[in-house]
Amino acid sequence: MIEVQNVSIVYGSGQGAVPALEDISFSVGEGEMVAVVGPSGCGKTSLLLAIDGLLRPTSGRILIGGEEVRGVRRDVALILQDAGLLPWKTVRGNAELTLRIQKRRESVDGILSALGLNGFEGRFPAELSEGMRRRVGIARALALRPKVLLMDEPMANLDSLTRERIQNLILDLWWEMGFTGILVTHDIEEAVFLGQRIVVLSPRPARIRAILENPGMGEHAYRGSPEFLERAQGLRRILEANG
Ligand SMILES: Nc1ncnc2c1ncn2[C@@H]1O[C@H](COP(=O)(O)OP(=O)(O)OP(=O)(O)O)[C@@H](O)[C@H]1O
Ligand SMILES: [Mg+2]
């Protein structure tokens, strides 16, 4: 479904050039959920922007459904690191935003209620908790019924209970909607909870350190099981290794 082939991204040129990604290759099957983990600043957001078609790789290519990505596609949705809500629009207005830009008339009621936001449709972002704002960002992306959902740390800086609640929700929605997902995170437990496979990146410029299989993923109860803890420990060891 998604093929990332030998992708490198360099910002700027000459003396000031900043290499962000170096020769990244992996693929994500249809309906699969892959977590991408790596240290802060290694190039995770750059990778997602490239998959979304917002940033052109310096070299290499990215295919979705066999076609090279050359711009933003209607069947791919991206959840930004800070939810990206417009403060002057209501919950409903924000959730509908991309649909309406695409001149689509579908209702967002179902998705708002699946995310526990019913009753808040008329509120503004400033009137919501951070966890609710994140859920509005998720609603905006899911309202598009995307084939591919790209998530850039949608749970970062939330308290641990809210975080787990939203992780559970994403898992449920994945089962229900069957999208192909890439979740970027620097959180080890989150990657193990939500990644059927886990792509581990090195510090900047990001290279692939390992790709781990995580067959236990898929149930709420996986969290905290011995297999889960073992997988998390293995992932921690790879992230902590030098070089
Ligand atoms: N527009 C840009 N111009 C120049 N350098 C950039 C630009 N965007 C990102 N970078 C640099 O590229 C590197 C990777 O950035 P990126 O945002 O992709 O990392 P990240 O893994 O998402 O970080 P974080 O974990 O903090 O979200 C960083 O060193 C950053 O300074
Ligand atoms: Mg980032």
Side-chain angles (χ1 to χ4, degrees):
M1 178 72 188
I2 304 175
E3 285 170 72
V4 177
Q5 299 177 343
N6 308 101
V7 166
S8 298
I9 293 177
V10 180
Y11 288 106
S13 58
Q15 287 277 315
V18 177
L21 299 177
E22 204 169 280
D23 197 22
I24 300 287
S25 298
F26 65 95
S27 59
V28 184
E30 181 149 12
E32 194 181 14
M33 181 95 99
V34 165
V36 175
V37 211
S40 192
C42 75
K44 302 182 296 298
T45 297
S46 307
L47 175 62
L48 275 196
L49 293 177
I51 296 172
D52 196 43
L54 289 166
L55 180 66
R56 215 186 156 80
T58 311
S59 60
R61 55 181 205 157
I62 298 170
L63 308 179
I64 296 183
E67 290 168 29
E68 185 162 0
V69 174
R70 296 183 184 281
V72 177
R73 297 168 51 116
R74 284 170 78 104
D75 52 358
V76 178
L78 171 66
I79 301 174
L80 295 165
Q81 208 157 356
D82 63 358
L85 304 187
L86 301 179
W88 61 88
K89 286 200 177 268
T90 61
V91 164
R92 178 186 297 284
N94 270 290
E96 288 175 343
L97 188 68
T98 320
L99 271 181
R100 298 300 176 253
I101 289 171
Q102 295 186 358
K103 308 243 183 292
R104 290 163 61 175
R105 305 194 169 278
E106 291 108 293
S107 161
V108 293
D109 290 346
I111 196 73
L112 285 176
S113 98
L115 285 157
L117 291 165
N118 37 344
F120 292 90
E121 294 88 344
R123 299 289 186 90
F124 290 90
E127 302 175 286
L128 307 175
S129 70
E130 188 55 33
M132 293 172 85
R133 284 195 281 269
R134 298 301 174 84
R135 281 183 276 146
V136 177
I138 295 169
R140 176 192 289 169
L142 290 176
L144 303 172
R145 302 265 153 191
K147 285 205 189 98
V148 174
L149 182 63
L150 307 173
M151 295 167 273
D152 192 3
E153 311 215 33
M155 276 79 71
N157 305 318
L158 294 176
D159 67 87
S160 53
L161 277 181
T162 307
R163 199 180 173 96
E164 285 188 12
R165 226 173 271 143
I166 299 183
Q167 289 167 353
N168 288 341
L169 199 63
I170 289 179
L171 186 65
D172 294 344
L173 291 166
W174 173 68
W175 278 117
E176 201 180 305
M177 299 174 76
F179 51 78
T180 302
I182 299 185
L183 172 82
V184 157
T185 178
H186 56 239
D187 186 272
I188 290 173
E189 277 77 25
E190 186 163 297
V192 176
F193 186 66
L194 286 173
Q196 279 175 310
R197 277 186 306 137
I198 304 169
V199 175
V200 190
L201 301 178
S202 72
R204 190 180 72 77
R207 278 164 286 111
I208 291 196
R209 238 188 202 169
I211 298 181
L212 308 179
E213 299 291 329
N214 183 28
M217 174 271 184
E219 305 285 335
H220 292 190
Y222 183 41
R223 198 199 303 282
S225 69
E227 189 194 348
F228 178 92
L229 298 173
E230 198 175 304
R231 196 79 51 183
Q233 234 168 37
L235 178 53
R236 180 179 300 277
R237 273 195 296 272
I238 296 172
L239 281 167
E240 282 173 355
N242 292 317

